[in-house]
Amino acid sequence: MNLDSINRPEMLRQVKDGAEIALKALAQAGLDKDPNLRAVLEGQTIAQVRGLTRADLETIYALGFRFLTGGDTERAEAVFFQLCFIDPLEAKNHYCLGVVRQMKQQWDAAIDDFARFCALDATNPEGYLRIGECLVAKGDRDQAFDAFEVALLEARKGHGPKNAAEQAERALSVLAKGGQA
């Protein structure tokens, strides 16, 4: 959660260099003229390019959610991974992918998914709570404490579910006492 250590100018340079390399490779492969790829490069999602409606995407989401609640983590992961790929600006897709990976104890992948969720829905304490849980599972109690504090701050502002503040307070209390949140 410590963003101060990121070298932003260096990161931006690397992203720019990577984009230039990718564009050259696309041109060499003759893909730079593909209308679908051009649309994506201009900011459309793959779902938009392929003509999927919000109703279509919600149907796919419902299928993934049914797999998730039914405990079929492999199928749920496949569905939510695809949704994140084709509809990357929908926060709940990343959250559900994170939940699946958390269930599978894939802590780092889950943290990445929840971080993308937080980037898209920054005031929702649910993402910070899940990041904190994953960090505790990894043994990183200090960063988990930070994540739970952010969750508590957002929950006290009225964001997220009604019990989010209680969840964050409980997690912070357990961590303070040396337990597992």
Side-chain angles (χ1 to χ4, degrees), residues 82-150:
Q82 287 300 318
L83 277 171
C84 289
F85 185 69
I86 66 172
D87 191 25
L89 301 178
E90 186 65 40
K92 68 184 180 181
N93 297 337
H94 299 279
Y95 183 84
C96 288
L97 183 58
V99 168
V100 171
R101 290 176 169 170
Q102 186 177 13
M103 290 170 67
K104 294 173 74 173
Q105 298 182 358
Q106 297 172 349
W107 311 123
D108 290 329
I111 289 168
D112 289 345
D113 297 325
F114 293 130
R116 283 190 301 279
F117 169 77
C118 291
L120 294 167
D121 193 357
T123 63
N124 191 329
E126 292 281 3
Y128 304 106
L129 288 167
R130 302 297 83 80
I131 288 172
E133 292 166 356
C134 292
L135 289 167
V136 167
K138 287 181 57 166
D140 191 342
R141 299 169 61 78
D142 292 337
Q143 284 207 9
F145 196 88
D146 293 345
F148 291 133
E149 282 189 322
V150 173

Side-chain angles (χ1 to χ4, degrees), residues 13-178:
R13 187 190 60 73
Q14 290 175 353
V15 168
K16 183 178 179 227
D17 290 349
E20 288 175 8
I21 291 169
L23 289 173
K24 284 179 187 175
L26 291 171
Q28 288 174 347
L31 296 174
D32 58 330
K33 304 289 187 250
D34 180 272
N36 292 326
L37 183 57
R38 299 287 325 153
V40 169
L41 291 173
E42 291 169 5
Q44 291 188 43
T45 67
I46 293 172
Q48 291 168 326
V49 170
R50 302 307 299 162
L52 294 172
T53 66
R54 182 55 42 200
D56 296 332
L57 295 166
E58 289 301 321
T59 299
I60 298 168
Y61 176 86
L63 176 65
F65 198 78
R66 188 170 47 221
F67 288 143
L68 175 62
T69 58
D72 189 342
T73 56
E74 295 304 317
R75 284 181 168 172
E77 184 175 24
V79 169
F80 290 120
F81 181 85
Q82 287 300 318
L83 277 171
C84 289
F85 185 69
I86 66 172
D87 191 25
L89 301 178
E90 186 65 40
K92 68 184 180 181
N93 297 337
H94 299 279
Y95 183 84
C96 288
L97 183 58
V99 168
V100 171
R101 290 176 169 170
Q102 186 177 13
M103 290 170 67
K104 294 173 74 173
Q105 298 182 358
Q106 297 172 349
W107 311 123
D108 290 329
I111 289 168
D112 289 345
D113 297 325
F114 293 130
R116 283 190 301 279
F117 169 77
C118 291
L120 294 167
D121 193 357
T123 63
N124 191 329
E126 292 281 3
Y128 304 106
L129 288 167
R130 302 297 83 80
I131 288 172
E133 292 166 356
C134 292
L135 289 167
V136 167
K138 287 181 57 166
D140 191 342
R141 299 169 61 78
D142 292 337
Q143 284 207 9
F145 196 88
D146 293 345
F148 291 133
E149 282 189 322
V150 173
L152 182 58
L153 283 170
E154 292 302 334
R156 285 185 175 160
K157 292 177 187 175
H159 302 130
K162 293 184 190 293
N163 68 342
E166 180 183 317
Q167 289 179 56
E169 288 169 348
R170 185 174 40 250
L172 288 166
S173 175
V174 170
L175 277 179
K177 293 177 185 172

